[in-house]
Amino acid sequence: MVTGSAGFIGGHVAETLRAAGLDVVGLDLRQGADVRDPGALDASLPGVGVVVHQAAKVGLGVDVADLPAYASANVYGTAVLLAAMARHGITRLVLASSMVVYGEGHYACAAHGRLRPGPRTVRDLEEGRFDPACPHCGEPLTCAEIDEDARPDPRNAYATTKLAQEHLAANWARETGGRVAALRYHNVYGPRMPRDTPYAGVAAIFRSELEAGRSPRVFEDGRQLRDFVHVRDVARANLAAVSAPVAPGELRAWNVASGTPHTVGEMAVALAAERAGPDPRVTGEFRLGDVRHIVASPERAASELGFRAEIGFEAGMKEFARS
């Protein structure tokens, strides 16, 4: 069963699983079936061997008024799902987690080695000091790859609920002997990405601005690093995770990323060029819940799942710009 099967990522996942010959049952709020409804789950779960949990409220959020909605969809919804899986004796879960559980990425200081800086201050952001400095000596830091053993440090409501999903799934695994493959998606983009919503990813927001003939507004200085991974690669990672090597009672996490980071500004330029639209405009604006740089290590997924992203940044952005 794929929850969120009519959504952006969930739809691609369901298609990829079916193409691989698996029988897939979909459950999605858009189709009148809510993961928070025990009755809907009890009607869908008989005969299911693996649950691929994609249903979630996504995006950074608008303000604190969004907190109840995030907690309800992501935390309560996952708890209801796990309880139903236990009732039906289902012992394998693929969980759509996120790189946001890490918070800020890994950095290195010439004098103090690898470290994780704390949240950036409003004053620094307002004055255009976007890159975190070493908390010990104040010197500039170099961005480094982050792997799955990094300590979680969520910085916004969405991130907190995604980490809560992992904790609940780990509790369920220990108590039932279940197996959890947690896929920490990095910045997913591609066809059917939601449009014109404040909860959409930055790639979709840039594309919508270009479609309206407006310059994409790039926050901060545009140099913040992210790993943009195509949704069809994400779907392939889910297929690999269905039979992932996870021990009973364990949650095992994998980064799902391209392994080749790019700046947000580079993405805006690529989309604008493909659509022959106005050049991006760097605004200096910021969102307090954003992190500066986060660059993934894809090596665990490669060695344990046999997964490496196949769709490169240039080809993926060309397709996405017109999708």
Side-chain angles (χ1 to χ4, degrees), residues 48-136:
V48 168
V50 183
V51 172
V52 182
H53 185 30
Q54 305 291 322
K57 185 174 178 64
V58 300
L60 183 61
V62 177
D63 55 38
V64 293
D66 286 324
L67 288 174
Y70 276 102
S72 177
N74 298 354
V75 183
Y76 180 67
T78 299
V80 174
L81 173 64
L82 293 169
M85 290 175 64
R87 287 196 302 275
H88 290 270
I90 300 168
T91 59
R92 184 175 282 273
L93 173 68
V94 178
L95 175 65
S97 187
S98 172
M99 57 89 174
V100 295
V101 303
Y102 296 125
E104 196 65 67
H106 263 150
Y107 293 80
C109 171
H112 296 96
R114 287 174 66 89
L115 49 81
R116 303 273 300 282
R120 298 177 294 173
T121 67
V122 172
R123 181 176 178 180
D124 280 346
L125 292 168
E126 288 178 340
E127 294 179 359
R129 292 189 294 273
F130 301 122
D131 284 300
C134 177
H136 306 294

Side-chain angles (χ1 to χ4, degrees), residues 14-319:
E15 290 172 2
T16 296
L17 297 180
R18 289 188 179 109
L22 299 177
D23 293 326
V24 177
V25 175
L27 186 143
D28 195 282
L29 186 60
R30 298 169 183 82
Q31 299 167 337
D34 193 332
V35 74
R36 293 166 290 190
D37 178 0
L41 292 170
D42 286 338
S44 301
L45 286 173
V48 168
V50 183
V51 172
V52 182
H53 185 30
Q54 305 291 322
K57 185 174 178 64
V58 300
L60 183 61
V62 177
D63 55 38
V64 293
D66 286 324
L67 288 174
Y70 276 102
S72 177
N74 298 354
V75 183
Y76 180 67
T78 299
V80 174
L81 173 64
L82 293 169
M85 290 175 64
R87 287 196 302 275
H88 290 270
I90 300 168
T91 59
R92 184 175 282 273
L93 173 68
V94 178
L95 175 65
S97 187
S98 172
M99 57 89 174
V100 295
V101 303
Y102 296 125
E104 196 65 67
H106 263 150
Y107 293 80
C109 171
H112 296 96
R114 287 174 66 89
L115 49 81
R116 303 273 300 282
R120 298 177 294 173
T121 67
V122 172
R123 181 176 178 180
D124 280 346
L125 292 168
E126 288 178 340
E127 294 179 359
R129 292 189 294 273
F130 301 122
D131 284 300
C134 177
H136 306 294
C137 65
E139 291 299 309
L141 298 172
T142 301
C143 185
E145 285 188 341
I146 196 164
D147 63 25
E148 294 85 350
D149 293 328
R151 175 181 56 84
D153 185 18
R155 300 288 175 87
N156 56 63
Y158 173 62
T160 299
T161 62
K162 296 307 285 185
L163 182 58
Q165 287 183 321
E166 287 197 15
H167 287 321
L168 287 169
N171 295 156
W172 166 84
R174 284 193 296 271
E175 294 184 27
T176 66
R179 307 166 193 253
V180 183
L183 301 180
R184 291 175 177 166
Y185 302 159
H186 285 250
N187 288 68
V188 186
Y189 73 97
R192 308 202 297 265
M193 196 172 189
R195 299 171 183 264
D196 301 318
T197 164
Y199 302 96
V202 66
I205 293 171
F206 287 170
R207 183 183 59 184
S208 293
E209 290 176 333
L210 287 163
E211 287 174 346
R214 298 189 297 264
S215 294
R217 291 166 50 243
V218 181
F219 281 15
E220 300 186 19
D221 59 3
R223 297 175 184 169
Q224 53 271 50
L225 281 167
R226 297 291 187 272
D227 190 307
F228 299 101
V229 58
H230 196 280
V231 67
R232 289 198 298 274
D233 281 328
V234 171
R236 289 178 45 251
N238 276 269
L239 175 60
V242 165
S243 56
V246 183
E250 181 185 16
L251 180 148
R252 184 72 168 162
W254 290 274
N255 285 327
V256 176
S258 73
T260 306
H262 292 270
T263 68
V264 172
E266 286 174 330
M267 180 184 66
V269 168
L271 292 175
E274 184 60 29
R275 294 192 64 90
D279 291 337
R281 179 167 57 90
V282 177
T283 69
E285 296 171 88
F286 62 86
R287 299 187 301 179
L288 196 57
D290 278 337
V291 298
R292 179 57 173 172
H293 303 303
I294 182 159
V295 175
S297 169
E299 294 310 313
R300 180 185 289 182
S303 63
E304 296 181 2
L305 297 181
F307 168 77
R308 283 198 184 274
E310 295 178 349
I311 301 173
F313 179 81
E314 182 177 350
M317 287 297 165
K318 281 182 178 293
E319 177 197 25

